Amino acid sequence: MESHGESWSDMVESTISDKQLDEEFYNGYGCVEGLEFTVWSNGRVYFPICYDGSEWCGSVSRNPDGKPTSHQGGG
């Protein structure tokens, strides 16, 4: 969120609880361990990404803004 100029105060809706939001992603390799989620903020939609078991959060613009979305996932 910080890399897009947002904070938790910009969050509008989430499919997981505040407690679940505090769980850290596993950034090693192996099996997927994180929860499925979608978080909508004022400007973006956040979701989990996984490549070879390593997990992190990706996002796209919530509304059309003319900016392309970079590749998500492994690379």
Side-chain angles (χ1 to χ4, degrees), residues 2 8 17 19 22 32 38 44 53 67:
E2 290 176 7
W8 288 112
S17 70
K19 181 180 178 184
D22 288 337
V32 172
T38 307
R44 301 197 65 81
K67 297 177 185 174

Side-chain angles (χ1 to χ4, degrees), residues 5 9 12 19-20 22 24 26 29-33 43 46 60-61 68 70-71 73:
S9 63
V12 175
K19 181 180 178 184
Q20 291 170 319
D22 288 337
E24 291 189 31
Y26 176 71
Y29 294 94
C31 297
V32 172
E33 297 180 20
Y46 297 88
V60 294
S61 297
S70 61
H71 289 79

Side-chain angles (χ1 to χ4, degrees), residues 28-71:
Y29 294 94
C31 297
V32 172
E33 297 180 20
L35 297 172
E36 297 176 352
F37 70 89
T38 307
V39 173
W40 292 265
S41 71
N42 290 320
R44 301 197 65 81
V45 178
Y46 297 88
F47 48 86
I49 297 178
C50 177
Y51 175 73
D52 203 18
S54 183
E55 303 168 358
W56 63 97
C57 183
S59 70
V60 294
S61 297
R62 183 171 177 176
N63 300 300
D65 63 4
K67 297 177 185 174
T69 300
S70 61
H71 289 79

Side-chain angles (χ1 to χ4, degrees), residues 1-11 39 41 46:
M1 295 181 97
E2 290 176 7
S3 66
H4 296 287
E6 293 191 315
S7 67
W8 288 112
S9 63
D10 294 302
M11 188 170 72
V39 173
S41 71
Y46 297 88

